[in-house]
Amino acid sequence: MAQNNTRLEAVLCDFDGTITSCEVIGKIYKKFACGNCEQLVKMWIQGEISTPEEIQGCFATIHATQQEMECELRSISIDANFPAFLDFCRKQNYPFAILSDGLQWYIDFILNLHGISGVTVYANQIHFKPTGFEFSFPWYDPNTPKRGTSKPLIIERYQNMGYQVIFIGDGLSDVEAVHFADKVYAKGKLLEICRSQNLPVIGFSDFADLLNIWQSAEQR
């Protein structure tokens, strides 16, 4: 943590694969989607289509109800030390928010399932209608056209409020964010990308690791 910096710090964190043990939206696709969803996911990974295109295309092949999908979501675990990490941020008065290119519906559901409330979430929206699924992308920005949620846009909003932004992430939807955050903690694919491009990054394995790093820094 910054010890000699007068700027306040805000912690912005990815959800799928960072807080959770798996890619949640991928688990939904695997269980319920059919048709060309697998091809759409591959196209998204290769940067050929955007997140809105992938989400809307894959959900067009899903015929499960909201309740059926939420039953599947009950099996998803979160990092066991995330609640303690969140509590640490709150005690240090670090604003904490989740930035996700997934869906706020399942983020809220999973957090509530694990007794976590009061977390600010920036994510894409699904609307369950009698006629099917509808989507909106309130955090879309044309400067990051491949994402439904523009993480750089949100990072810059916090920076414009005077915060030094610490970003935590693990995957492809976080790639743009690392170029805007003041400090980056990464694991998985994101860590590989940062190191391959010689970008400033601090690697971590889980929230126990992060908690140990941050608590040690605060005690110095």
Side-chain angles (χ1 to χ4, degrees), residues 5 7-10 155 158-159 162-167 177-185 200:
N5 196 321
R7 293 175 68 192
L8 300 173
E9 293 174 316
I155 288 170
Y158 276 83
Q159 289 169 333
Y163 290 104
Q164 180 185 40
V165 171
I166 299 166
F167 181 78
V178 302
H179 296 282
F180 290 81
D182 297 289
K183 185 179 290 186
V184 175
Y185 290 85

Side-chain angles (χ1 to χ4, degrees), residues 165-203:
V165 171
I166 299 166
F167 181 78
I168 304 168
D170 83 308
L172 291 176
S173 69
D174 303 319
V175 169
E176 296 90 351
V178 302
H179 296 282
F180 290 81
D182 297 289
K183 185 179 290 186
V184 175
Y185 290 85
K187 66 176 183 175
K189 185 65 175 178
L190 184 64
L191 181 58
E192 293 177 16
I193 292 170
C194 288
R195 287 177 171 170
S196 69
Q197 298 180 11
N198 294 316
L199 298 172
V201 65
I202 302 168

Side-chain angles (χ1 to χ4, degrees), residues 124-136:
N124 305 310
Q125 306 293 319
I126 183 172
H127 311 280
F128 295 95
K129 304 287 187 178
T131 54
F133 311 117
E134 294 181 9
F135 299 89
S136 58

Side-chain angles (χ1 to χ4, degrees), residues 26-68:
K27 190 176 178 74
I28 292 172
Y29 292 161
K30 185 174 182 180
K31 177 72 174 181
F32 299 106
C34 56
N36 66 337
C37 182
E38 186 175 346
Q39 180 60 29
L40 290 172
V41 172
K42 289 179 180 178
M43 292 173 67
W44 178 85
I45 291 171
Q46 294 167 1
E48 297 173 5
I49 63 172
S50 66
T51 297
E53 289 172 317
E54 182 219 50
I55 288 176
Q56 292 175 111
C58 285
F59 270 86
T61 74
I62 293 176
H63 302 289
T65 64
Q66 178 179 354
Q67 291 71 27
E68 288 170 334

Side-chain angles (χ1 to χ4, degrees), residues 99-125:
L99 275 58
S100 174
D101 210 20
L103 299 169
Q104 182 164 355
W105 151 65
Y106 66 66
I107 294 172
D108 289 340
F109 183 86
I110 292 169
L111 291 178
N112 289 335
L113 196 65
H114 293 276
I116 300 170
S117 60
V119 177
T120 300
V121 177
Y122 300 89
N124 305 310
Q125 306 293 319

